Amino acid sequence: MGSLITALTTHDDPADSPDRHLSDEVCESVLASLRRRDQRHKGQLYVNGLLTAQGRKTMRNLATSTREPAAAQSLHHFISVSTWDWPEVRATLARRMERLMTPHAWVVRPMVTPKSGVHSVGVRRRFVRHLGQAVTSQYSHGLWLAGQQAAAPVNWQLSVEEAQLPGTLAGGHDAAPGVTDDAGRSSDDARCSSDDTAVAVVQQSASWGLAPRPVVMDARDVPPAPLIEAFTAAGLPFLLRVGSSTSLLAPDLSGGQRRLLSAPAEHLSTLATSQQRPVEWVDPALPRSIRTSLVALMPVLWPGGAVPRRPRPAGVPVAGPRRTGGAELLLIGEWQPNRRRVAELWLTNMTHAGRGTLLRLSKLTRRVDTDFAHICADVGAQDFEGRSYHGWHRHMTMVSLAHAVRVLAQENRVGEEWERSG
């Protein structure tokens, strides 16, 4: 990520880092909604600690990497006990980053955080596809503003399973263990199961006044029906990667009769192989590396019938009626040259978009994966050691700020525009 990012992590005196000024500028503008001066100061300390501390971002490690090595307790209080409004901070960051980045899409990315214990909120044992095994972990989704050159997370939702929520929380019942902050306050906006977090993070972000962008997501680990329904109801374009067994409806091209064929997506893709065309794209994971894929498009229908209504997480606006019934979509198949089996399958409601546009949008998931590994994980996305729901969200808000500083530091001009846009 260049010399500027290296300086952020290896400078002899972190407090005098050449990008400390940019970090303070970002924090000063985004944290302006915090009413108390001491909260704004602690926010700057926390972000600077995330940017400069080596290794795991523990409170002690964060404090010792700043100008106030004795601040570990106050930083803990700022994250786990304080009452500042993290959704407003995220909304401010999202609007500022949108103006500077002009993203092509909102990429929704899952994050699995392994945990050794079971006392933190949202922790349970779940199967993780890319690891091929069950892992005791937290599960969340982040919404990223993504372009060809960079991506930045601006919102997060943590999965809290229904089993952890025996009471209604908002109706006078006792809160479930773990769904409280460290001061004992219950959370009435924590009811997000693993199937709901992707929908919730998009709906909440859409309520911030951002310009609508295509929602791009690898949806192989969650049921696609709630996503298709919610994004259609919200009027958002979407591009969802689906599994090979996803059932779809398509014209039966074999018998010459006008009838619909219900079949798995992978089987339907074989009917479109004659429509394959080469498309070039730049691999975000390998800068300046141009690749070629074969892409075919096939009109399909999403099977009719309403998906059972899911409880809406409190605090997330209703996007509209939850029906799609027979939505007209495109199935996109991508093949690697000289390979017979389809490599990736995507569904979209952008039925008039071309092959090149759709393929390049799908590759923004690789952009986000790359920036998560090189930036977001390095500034502590999976290092929160507390147990509370609100504490996790406040920590992830500060992680988003630190990630934004790293992205802006890649190009001095962008950082200068941030200062002028304040």
Side-chain angles (χ1 to χ4, degrees):
M1 283 297 173
S3 59
L4 288 176
I5 290 180
T6 302
L8 279 168
T9 57
T10 62
H11 199 270
D12 290 339
D13 186 354
D16 295 324
S17 164
D19 290 295
R20 170 65 182 268
H21 177 67
L22 175 59
S23 173
D24 288 346
E25 285 284 343
V26 171
C27 290
E28 182 178 350
S29 61
V30 176
L31 299 179
S33 63
L34 303 188
R35 291 174 296 176
R36 289 166 42 185
R37 181 179 178 182
D38 66 306
Q39 290 178 334
R40 297 192 294 272
H41 173 66
K42 290 172 186 174
Q44 287 188 346
L45 280 182
Y46 201 92
V47 171
N48 287 327
L50 293 174
L51 289 167
T52 58
Q54 301 295 309
R56 286 187 63 81
K57 306 304 188 283
T58 64
M59 294 296 176
R60 178 174 296 180
N61 201 6
L62 296 180
T64 56
S65 67
T66 69
R67 291 193 180 103
E68 301 181 29
Q73 187 60 37
S74 64
L75 292 179
H76 169 77
H77 187 280
F78 171 72
I79 293 296
S80 297
V81 183
S82 187
T83 58
W84 54 273
D85 186 7
W86 45 265
E88 178 58 31
V89 173
R90 291 183 188 174
T92 301
L93 175 65
R95 290 190 285 263
R96 294 290 295 274
M97 293 300 286
E98 179 186 50
R99 291 199 297 270
L100 291 177
M101 293 179 63
T102 57
H104 300 310
W106 297 347
V107 174
V108 179
R109 183 189 188 278
M111 181 175 72
V112 177
T113 303
K115 291 286 185 177
S116 57
V118 296
H119 299 293
S120 295
V121 64
V123 171
R124 70 175 181 87
R125 194 160 182 82
R126 50 174 59 84
F127 181 81
V128 180
R129 178 180 48 79
H130 70 272
L131 297 178
Q133 61 181 350
V135 179
T136 300
S137 59
Q138 288 174 325
Y139 183 80
S140 60
H141 277 99
L143 184 136
W144 295 62
L145 305 182
Q148 295 295 330
Q149 303 302 318
V154 294
N155 199 13
W156 302 87
Q157 278 289 347
L158 177 67
S159 170
V160 180
E161 300 298 327
E162 293 297 330
Q164 291 182 286
L165 297 161
T168 62
L169 295 177
H173 295 73
D174 290 335
V179 192
T180 59
D181 62 18
D182 290 351
R185 290 179 289 266
S186 66
S187 168
D188 60 0
D189 58 352
R191 267 169 279 143
C192 267
S193 72
S194 58
D195 293 348
D196 290 322
T197 53
V199 169
V201 78
V202 172
Q203 289 180 329
Q204 184 179 54
S205 303
S207 73
W208 294 342
L210 304 177
R213 311 280 181 179
V215 179
V216 181
M217 177 183 173
D218 184 340
R220 289 176 294 169
D221 290 335
V222 296
L227 304 176
I228 293 173
E229 288 213 335
F231 301 155
T232 300
L236 290 171
F238 61 79
L239 181 63
L240 306 176
R241 186 175 181 182
V242 295
S244 59
S245 61
T246 301
S247 182
L248 298 168
L249 298 175
D252 185 353
L253 304 179
S254 60
Q257 299 180 0
R258 286 191 160 187
R259 62 176 184 173
L260 290 177
L261 171 69
S262 177
E266 184 171 14
H267 173 74
L268 292 178
S269 71
T270 64
L271 304 179
T273 53
S274 63
Q275 305 299 316
Q276 291 177 355
R277 299 292 185 272
V279 176
E280 288 188 344
W281 52 281
V282 178
D283 191 345
L286 298 170
R288 296 180 294 276
S289 175
I290 298 178
R291 299 183 179 274
T292 300
S293 295
L294 299 176
V295 179
L297 307 180
M298 183 177 191
V300 295
L301 291 176
W302 182 250
V307 173
R309 179 177 294 274
R310 312 181 74 86
R312 179 175 59 88
V316 176
V318 177
R322 293 178 60 85
R323 291 189 65 90
T324 55
E328 296 182 0
L329 305 174
L330 275 182
L331 175 64
I332 303 115
E334 179 192 355
W335 288 261
Q336 300 304 316
N338 303 318
R339 297 292 180 91
R340 294 186 61 183
R341 185 170 183 179
V342 66
E344 295 186 10
L345 293 162
W346 294 79
L347 274 180
T348 184
N349 59 353
M350 294 179 281
T351 55
H352 298 294
R355 290 176 175 81
T357 297
L358 294 171
L359 180 68
R360 294 180 188 107
L361 280 173
S362 75
K363 298 308 176 184
L364 291 178
T365 58
R366 291 174 65 84
R367 170 80 276 162
V368 169
D369 287 344
T370 299
D371 285 7
F372 177 85
H374 292 169
I375 303 178
C376 202
D378 188 58
V379 296
Q382 296 177 297
D383 289 351
F384 180 59
E385 295 185 332
R387 297 182 178 182
S388 74
Y389 177 81
H390 288 293
W392 183 90
H393 273 287
R394 295 189 190 104
H395 171 79
M396 295 306 299
T397 303
M398 296 295 102
V399 166
S400 295
L401 278 172
H403 185 108
V405 172
R406 288 275 179 95
V407 168
L408 296 171
Q410 293 181 50
E411 190 175 351
N412 284 332
R413 178 183 59 81
V414 176
E416 291 167 1
E417 288 178 0
W418 174 281
E419 297 179 30
R420 289 197 299 269
S421 68

